[in-house]
Amino acid sequence: MRTDSSPGTLPAREHLPAGNAGTPVLDVVIPVYNEEKDLGPCVVRLHDHLRRTFPYAFRITIADNASTDTTPQVARRLEADLAEVTSFRLDQKGRGRALRTVWSASDAPILAYMDVDLSTDLNALLPLVAPLISGHSDLAIGSRLARSSRVVRGAKREFISRTYNLILRGSLQARFSDAQCGFKAIRRDVAQVLLPLVEDTGWFFDTEMLVLAERAGLRIHEVPVDWVDDPNSTVHIVKTATDDLRGVWRVGKALTTGALPLDRLTRPFGDDPRDRDVQDVPKGLARQLVGFCVVGGLSTLFYLVLYSAFRSFSGSQVANALALLVSAVANTAANRRLTFGVRGRGGAVRHQAQGLVVFGIGLALTSGSLAALNAASSDPSHSTELAVLIAANLAATVLRFLLFRAWVFPDRDGSARPEPTPVAPHTVTYPTGGHQPYESHLQPHQQPHHQSQRPLPQRPTHQPHAQSGTTTTRFRAGEAADGTWRDSTMQLQPVRSHDTEPGDPR
């Protein structure tokens, strides 16, 4: 699992206003491998749908994954015949590799992909990308498992899909419903920061991307889709399932050990009420109270169990002190992580030391209560002792919360948020075969509010078709990533060094 830092933190989401400009708003990528029969009808149908229904400029990108049949020739013909179609030739297989390469090079603010068989009804495409254009969400996925979805497929594939998603929920605590539906979209500024953290180059690419995005707190929008199974699918189910399980283990291990810099993916949410400075209302107070009460209730039960156990072989004062000490350490650790959201090992010893001071105050309250009870009654019953201790613990709990919030875990979020580093804009020219290139002044992902001032391009009412003879664009992944386009005959180079590992079946 990669541990290097991503390009930078994400800025606030903003709506992309409509208007006229040169860059396509939507770039739909179709990764293909030996799809000479389905590629032509798929692209023509998708192109016709977008021309009729999509209100902004768009691009369809064919990402050929080292096909060995006539797929490259079909892609070149489509590029020559349809003005909004372009094609890339990759020299290595892997759907994830193709998506990361093309998405990293694209200048469109909204990036999407779909499978070549078009199993998903295209009427879901506009609902898929609309939340990304509006700034509501960071990623969007089609879901075949939503209640209102209409799906036609065999029992075996249905069982495999639902079992896989149950595995994700149980092992990686994933909350999205459908990881493998080939119908997804992402904002370009999010992709620039998220994709360097995604390691898989095959079918697990989607799942890894979604899990990391969800763990980082990004917003994922789900769209119910109508989906018809392709009986001629070339996906090898057993091998894909095996690779996916290996990916689940790898990602789960990285998340458990904290090997991923997911804090780089956090973003201010613009109009999120949690970002507002409201007087007389401490930030997160309600959530912290709920968390503290839950932890406090469990700690009290834990304390009573320990006290009863220690009381069987020691006096009441010794049993109370031991039970309170053990439960206090557990209480401080639980509140540190769950109530006040402090992660990592930094300051853990100091927090425990301060928690022990708070424990001393609680010990004084409970011990004083026991001393008062023993003074009032020479031989109190065990149930009376427990009742007195519960009342004393309630008082100690209120005091503990106030001390935790004001002293042990003070809220310093307002002064800790770094400002993004501005980067000068650069110009990218995106070739589309023999047509006029798309040109726009692109803004870096650190400053998308500059980009948001540029209107979204409306789709032109008519564009002449290109002349025949247009060739498929080839490029270096490294050159595409830095925004430059050179000799169209260049062969694709690996995006990362481990993409060329020997024995990679994808």
Side-chain angles (χ1 to χ4, degrees):
M1 177 59 64
R2 292 172 60 83
T3 58
D4 57 329
S5 298
S6 50
T9 55
L10 291 169
R13 281 192 245 102
E14 293 188 12
H15 188 105
L16 302 174
N20 292 315
T23 305
V25 174
L26 174 66
D27 192 348
V28 182
V29 180
I30 304 176
V32 292
Y33 174 73
N34 289 348
E35 297 287 354
E36 57 185 1
K37 294 182 179 179
D38 294 336
L39 180 57
C42 161
V43 173
V44 171
R45 178 182 166 196
L46 174 61
H47 181 269
D48 178 68
H49 177 83
L50 290 172
R51 288 293 297 262
R52 288 186 294 102
T53 64
F54 194 69
Y56 304 122
F58 65 88
R59 178 192 301 133
I60 300 173
T61 303
I62 304 169
D64 178 20
N65 293 261
S67 294
T68 57
D69 60 1
T70 61
T71 297
Q73 289 81 359
V74 175
R76 285 197 294 269
R77 286 199 301 268
L78 292 168
E79 186 177 26
D81 294 340
L82 302 174
E84 292 87 358
V85 175
T86 187
S87 63
F88 290 155
R89 168 73 174 177
L90 289 88
D91 295 332
Q92 292 176 291
K93 292 177 59 178
R95 183 179 68 170
R97 179 182 289 110
L99 291 176
R100 183 172 58 240
T101 302
V102 177
W103 279 355
S104 299
S106 179
D107 55 355
I110 306 299
L111 311 170
Y113 96 89
M114 61 181 60
D115 292 334
V116 68
D117 55 15
L118 293 186
S119 295
T120 304
D121 182 22
L122 293 178
N123 287 325
L125 183 56
L126 186 55
L128 183 80
V129 302
L132 308 186
I133 294 176
S134 69
H136 174 273
S137 301
D138 301 298
L139 298 91
I141 65 174
S143 175
R144 299 163 296 184
L145 303 181
R147 217 175 261 276
S148 56
S149 298
R150 293 175 293 183
V151 176
V152 178
R153 62 175 167 180
K156 182 175 71 172
R157 286 183 176 268
E158 181 78 9
F159 173 79
I160 293 174
S161 178
R162 292 188 178 275
T163 301
Y164 179 65
N165 283 281
L166 285 176
I167 292 174
L168 293 181
R169 288 176 178 270
S171 59
L172 300 179
Q173 288 79 49
R175 294 189 299 273
F176 47 85
S177 64
D178 192 351
Q180 293 180 312
C181 181
F183 196 70
K184 294 181 176 67
I186 185 172
R187 286 176 64 108
R188 175 175 169 267
D189 58 344
V190 176
Q192 288 180 330
V193 183
L194 178 59
L195 294 184
L197 302 180
V198 180
E199 181 174 339
D200 192 78
T201 59
W203 293 96
F204 188 70
F205 175 88
D206 304 48
T207 302
E208 186 172 355
M209 179 180 68
L210 291 175
V211 169
L212 298 186
E214 187 177 70
R215 286 297 187 95
L218 299 182
R219 183 172 290 172
I220 301 175
H221 178 75
E222 294 198 17
V223 178
V225 297
D226 300 336
W227 196 84
V228 179
D229 188 20
D230 179 14
N232 298 318
S233 175
T234 59
V235 177
H236 299 287
I237 297 178
V238 176
K239 181 183 180 304
T240 301
T242 303
D243 292 341
D244 287 346
L245 292 177
R246 290 173 181 169
V248 169
W249 171 260
R250 174 175 53 80
V251 173
K253 181 180 178 181
L255 292 173
T256 302
T257 59
L260 287 166
L262 296 183
D263 56 321
R264 299 275 184 169
L265 291 171
T266 58
R267 67 149 87 241
F269 282 86
D271 196 34
D272 193 315
R274 295 173 296 181
D275 292 333
R276 300 175 189 172
D277 185 13
V278 182
Q279 294 182 352
D280 302 326
V281 180
K283 292 178 62 177
L285 177 60
R287 180 187 60 80
Q288 290 177 356
L289 276 173
V290 172
F292 186 82
C293 288
V294 172
V295 173
L298 296 176
S299 297
T300 301
L301 293 176
F302 184 49
Y303 163 80
L304 293 176
V305 171
L306 290 176
Y307 177 81
S308 299
F310 294 145
R311 187 68 175 86
S312 63
F313 59 84
S314 63
S316 60
Q317 292 288 4
V318 175
N320 173 66
L322 290 176
L324 196 58
L325 175 61
V326 176
S327 61
V329 172
N331 181 276
T332 300
N335 277 306
R336 181 178 186 270
R337 175 65 176 86
L338 302 177
T339 303
F340 298 97
V342 180
R343 293 166 173 79
R345 299 180 180 178
V349 176
R350 176 174 57 83
H351 293 154
Q352 283 292 349
Q354 292 172 314
L356 289 177
V357 174
V358 178
F359 150 75
I361 298 174
L363 177 62
L365 284 174
T366 54
S367 297
S369 299
L370 283 175
L373 176 63
N374 291 328
S377 176
S378 59
D379 188 19
S381 65
H382 184 65
S383 59
T384 304
E385 284 184 350
L386 291 181
V388 170
L389 288 174
I390 290 174
N393 267 287
L394 289 175
T397 297
V398 175
L399 181 61
R400 186 183 304 117
F401 176 76
L402 296 177
L403 290 175
F404 274 174
R405 182 176 175 83
W407 180 47
V408 183
F409 308 109
D411 183 10
R412 299 189 178 95
D413 291 344
S415 60
R417 179 173 296 166
E419 292 294 330
T421 304
V423 181
H426 59 281
T427 301
V428 171
T429 302
Y430 194 109
T432 55
H435 309 291
Q436 294 297 323
Y438 293 103
E439 294 183 351
S440 66
H441 291 284
L442 297 185
Q443 304 300 327
H445 66 277
Q446 291 92 341
Q447 300 287 338
H449 56 278
H450 294 167
Q451 185 182 28
S452 66
Q453 303 302 319
R454 187 184 72 240
L456 289 187
Q458 300 286 354
R459 178 171 52 78
T461 57
H462 174 72
Q463 292 187 6
H465 288 179
Q467 299 299 322
S468 61
T470 306
T471 58
T472 301
T473 304
R474 299 189 180 187
F475 65 97
R476 296 179 189 270
E479 292 175 349
D482 65 13
T484 59
W485 300 87
R486 297 189 176 95
D487 186 357
S488 62
T489 62
M490 290 290 185
Q491 298 294 322
L492 177 71
Q493 301 299 320
V495 178
R496 294 192 302 247
S497 58
H498 69 267
D499 280 352
T500 58
E501 290 179 350
D504 186 355
R506 298 186 296 270

